[in-house]
Amino acid sequence: MRSGTWERIGLQILFWVLVLSFALPLLWFFLTSLKTRVDAFSIPPKLLFSPTLNNFRSVMSDSVFLVNYKNSLIIGLTTTLCSLLIGLPAAYALARFKMKKKEDLAFWILSVRMAPPIMVILPFYLMFQRFGLMDTYTGMVMIYL
């Protein structure tokens, strides 16, 4: 075999080792969710068990979980949509058009993203308190944007 073939085989093995190292914990979490409490915490871990959906029923019957899930869904989807509506045209304009101070604007955007969140939390809190945005979807979306 040629050396290029060995390199490809080595890369394939490395790829599958990485895929398994990321996929196995997710599989373990999923399988644990199908176990009873006793099976989940048994030592040594039980690999053969009778699956149950009672854990999912328990979580879905909890109204607090459903409210929190709805809130996360609304805030996440709205933030994503707004980010795309603002970011895509802005990125296109920065990439395609010639403008003065383009490098300075790009550097400012990057600098703001690198600032620690604790630096802006107090000004945001004071602004949100003044404008009545505390505990609102709009306030959360603005924070994430």
Side-chain angles (χ1 to χ4, degrees):
M1 285 194 207
R2 295 186 359 224
S3 65
T5 305
W6 286 111
E7 286 177 14
R8 278 201 341 242
I9 291 172
L11 285 174
Q12 283 288 323
I13 291 171
L14 178 65
F15 170 76
W16 285 111
V17 166
L18 286 174
V19 166
L20 288 176
S21 69
F22 286 109
L24 285 178
L26 296 175
L27 178 65
W28 187 266
F29 289 145
F30 175 70
L31 290 176
T32 303
S33 74
L34 297 175
K35 294 179 181 180
T36 63
R37 187 174 189 83
V38 173
D39 289 342
F41 291 108
S42 68
I43 295 176
K46 286 189 177 179
L47 297 178
L48 299 174
F49 60 93
S50 57
T52 178
L53 295 177
N54 287 338
N55 295 327
F56 292 101
R57 284 188 199 101
S58 171
V59 168
M60 290 303 172
S61 67
D62 184 11
S63 62
V64 173
F65 172 79
L66 293 176
V67 168
N68 292 336
Y69 189 75
K70 179 192 76 153
N71 289 341
S72 295
L73 203 59
I74 290 170
I75 292 168
L77 290 175
T78 306
T79 302
T80 301
L81 182 66
C82 291
S83 295
L84 288 173
L85 287 174
I86 295 168
L88 285 176
Y92 183 80
L94 277 174
R96 300 290 292 168
F97 300 128
K98 294 190 186 310
M99 59 182 89
K100 293 179 183 177
K101 306 280 186 176
K102 180 166 76 168
E103 290 80 20
D104 294 340
L105 179 61
F107 180 74
W108 178 78
I109 292 170
L110 184 62
S111 300
V112 169
R113 296 297 303 155
M114 292 187 324
I118 196 70
M119 188 173 83
V120 294
I121 198 82
L122 185 62
F124 271 128
Y125 177 78
L126 295 173
M127 281 190 318
F128 282 20
Q129 194 174 34
R130 175 176 242 172
F131 296 123
L133 292 173
M134 301 289 281
D135 284 337
T136 63
Y137 291 132
T138 306
M140 287 299 293
V141 168
M142 287 174 63
I143 284 290
Y144 285 123
L145 282 175

